[in-house]
Amino acid sequence: MRDYSLEQNPIGIGSNCSLSTLNAITDWQKNRHDWTIEPDWIVQSPGVVTAIDIIINALSEPDDSIIIMTPVYGAFSRSILANQRSAITVPLHNIRIFN
């Protein structure tokens, strides 16, 4: 696994966002999660599957294994395999909390 730090690397969201949208995202992160991020940390992506591909390549090497919780949107698991990684599936369990 590659070393990765949010202090050195940006986070990703959808593409073609205006500065006001980026500022709204940073404000929301601060207000909702008490997490201060800068607009220039945000990397825009044309879609979630493309972003997953970028993340897979940024955080792992070919032949690494990636844990994925199933069931999952099929494109997510296909992205793992298409990037020469193997998927370790961990099934989600339906636990009834309330009667």
Side-chain angles (χ1 to χ4, degrees):
M1 183 171 158
R2 294 182 183 166
D3 291 332
Y4 193 81
S5 165
L6 284 174
E7 283 105 28
Q8 300 170 353
N9 297 286
I11 61 172
I13 58 141
S15 60
N16 299 321
C17 293
S18 65
L19 182 57
S20 63
T21 299
L22 296 173
N23 288 331
I25 292 166
T26 61
D27 291 345
W28 186 84
Q29 289 291 341
K30 177 63 177 166
N31 295 333
R32 179 77 181 221
H33 302 290
D34 195 27
W35 182 29
T36 303
I37 63 172
E38 299 297 327
D40 62 344
W41 294 0
I42 300 171
V43 174
Q44 299 183 52
S45 170
V48 69
V49 176
T50 302
I52 297 252
D53 285 339
I54 292 167
I55 292 165
I56 288 169
N57 284 290
L59 300 179
S60 65
E61 299 288 338
D63 299 321
D64 280 353
S65 295
I66 297 174
I67 296 172
I68 191 165
M69 300 177 112
T70 57
V72 67
Y73 176 51
F76 295 171
S77 54
R78 285 191 298 274
S79 288
I80 293 170
L81 302 175
N83 285 288
Q84 294 77 47
R85 277 63 166 180
S86 60
I88 298 173
T89 58
V90 177
L92 292 171
H93 294 281
N94 185 7
I95 298 173
R96 187 172 250 184
I97 299 173
F98 302 103
N99 291 330

